[in-house]
Amino acid sequence: MSLGFTEIILIALFILIVFGAKRIPELARAMGQASYEFKKAKNALSAEGQELMDAAEETAAEEDRRKLH
């Protein structure tokens, strides 16, 4: 299901009528900031998960070395 040109124009007009021309830049700025914060949090969680995986692998390798000696 894709939106055609007519549907996009209708949605844009609806947003313009509901929020007004002065609020649209504010909304766009807020959406951009929210997107930035989401990506930042996602990257931080991904890095933390990778650190935990690395620590777990290091611990397992150390235990294997102890068992061999």
Side-chain angles (χ1 to χ4, degrees):
M1 182 174 144
S2 64
L3 294 175
F5 183 71
T6 306
E7 288 88 3
I8 293 173
I9 295 295
L10 288 174
I11 292 169
L13 285 174
F14 177 76
I15 291 172
L16 185 62
I17 290 169
V18 171
F19 294 110
K22 292 186 179 190
R23 291 276 322 250
I24 291 175
E26 294 172 17
L27 292 171
R29 198 172 305 116
M31 288 176 60
Q33 184 67 28
S35 174
Y36 171 76
E37 292 295 328
F38 176 78
K39 287 178 185 177
K40 190 169 93 172
K42 182 183 75 164
N43 289 339
L45 285 174
S46 179
E48 186 176 342
Q50 186 62 44
E51 288 175 9
L52 288 172
M53 288 295 293
D54 292 344
E57 288 174 357
E58 186 177 317
T59 302
E62 188 175 312
E63 287 179 5
D64 286 344
R65 281 188 293 244
R66 287 182 186 162
K67 287 181 183 179
L68 293 176
H69 294 310

